[in-house]
Amino acid sequence: KQEVTQIPAALSVPEGENLVLNCSFTDSAIYNLQWFRQDPGKGLTSLLLIQSSQREQTSGRLNASLDKSSGRSTLYIAASQPGDSATYLCAGRDNYGQNFVFGPGTRLSVLP
Amino acid sequence: DGGITQSPKYLFRKEGQNVTLSCEQNLNHDAMYWYRQDPGQGLRLIYYSQIVNDFQKGDIAEGYSVSREKKESFPLTVTSAQKNPTAFYLCASTYGTGLGEQFFGPGTRLTVL
């Protein structure tokens, strides 16, 4: 059964730093992968989707990459801002299943 | 505006009661999903539906039931058989068969009194 881990579980950085969040899958046969942001008590907001034929996606200060051979994805946030403070979740769909499997999330705090 | 709405935002249930959580979308998406989120854990799939009048059990379907009578609506009933229902419930949808980007509603927080 596919399982997802996210490292670190929590991260606190000063404003302006560049940072990387990591996501790993036990089964490297990933079909596509999506990164989300969740604010406390809210639903998930989609950030980036890496489709099956892609290796990375970029949106503004965010860049996500997927290495299918190792079953790992990273989310790079450039020039972090206090408004980036939230929990970031990755979710992957493998080549066999119909549905996404979610990681537990990384809680990010960006200090002004 | 297109999106997913969930109601109510907060719900309180007494022991032995069934409660129904509403999920509506106007995105014209075919696939809809229900997830449960507990503190410190990833989202877990309860039920999903890829087409009207059809739905499938997810990883933790016991104690829950759903219906999909309309494309726009996918209500979730938490029955008295669900022993630990206190959680944050999230509804989501995707376009087509469900292989694309997933969008989420704002969630319903259910508390058992």
Side-chain angles (χ1 to χ4, degrees):
Chain A
K1 181 183 175 182
Q2 179 74 277
E3 293 185 359
V4 186
T5 57
Q6 290 189 243
I7 296 173
L11 180 63
S12 183
V13 300
E15 181 177 5
E17 273 203 8
N18 302 326
L19 56 101
V20 174
L21 307 181
N22 298 287
C23 173
S24 297
F25 297 81
T26 53
D27 186 338
S28 62
I30 302 299
Y31 179 78
N32 60 13
L33 183 137
Q34 194 168 355
W35 281 93
F36 297 88
R37 166 191 174 131
Q38 186 177 30
D39 294 290
K42 306 291 186 182
L44 276 64
T45 299
S46 177
L47 297 174
L48 293 163
L49 171 69
I50 304 177
Q51 294 280 16
S52 59
S53 59
Q54 300 171 327
R55 294 177 62 89
E56 67 177 318
Q57 276 283 8
T58 297
S59 176
R61 294 182 293 107
L62 306 180
N63 175 274
S65 64
L66 174 61
D67 181 350
K68 290 190 174 184
S69 64
S70 65
R72 295 184 179 183
S73 177
T74 60
L75 177 66
Y76 175 81
I77 302 177
S80 58
Q81 303 171 357
D84 294 331
S85 298
T87 296
Y88 291 80
L89 297 98
C90 65
R93 181 182 285 116
D94 61 34
N95 290 336
Y96 319 109
Q98 288 286 331
N99 305 301
F100 279 110
V101 177
F102 284 79
T106 292
R107 189 170 68 248
L108 172 65
S109 297
V110 181
L111 307 175
Chain B
D1 286 335
I4 303 173
T5 58
Q6 291 186 242
S7 63
K9 185 174 182 179
Y10 299 99
L11 186 57
F12 298 91
R13 192 193 93 168
K14 295 181 181 180
E15 295 280 353
Q17 268 187 341
N18 293 351
V19 292
T20 297
L21 284 60
S22 170
C23 177
E24 304 276 337
Q25 54 95 3
N26 61 3
L27 300 168
N28 199 33
H29 286 174
D30 291 294
M32 296 186 74
Y33 308 80
W34 274 106
Y35 293 93
R36 169 180 173 142
Q37 187 176 36
D38 295 282
Q41 298 189 35
L43 276 67
R44 293 183 289 168
L45 183 65
I46 304 172
Y47 269 98
Y48 66 99
S49 169
Q50 293 184 308
I51 196 170
V52 173
N53 292 323
D54 185 58
F55 47 83
Q56 306 295 328
K57 292 182 179 180
D59 298 324
I60 56 166
E62 185 175 352
Y64 300 97
S65 65
V66 294
S67 63
R68 186 86 187 276
E69 297 177 1
K70 298 186 300 182
K71 186 176 183 177
E72 304 79 25
S73 178
F74 191 40
L76 173 74
T77 297
V78 184
T79 75
S80 57
Q82 172 49 239
K83 297 307 178 187
N84 184 23
T86 295
F88 191 48
Y89 290 87
L90 290 157
C91 178
S93 70
T94 57
Y95 179 73
T97 59
L99 295 179
E101 190 174 8
Q102 198 161 71
F103 295 90
F104 279 79
T108 293
R109 183 164 300 280
L110 173 63
T111 302
V112 174
L113 301 175

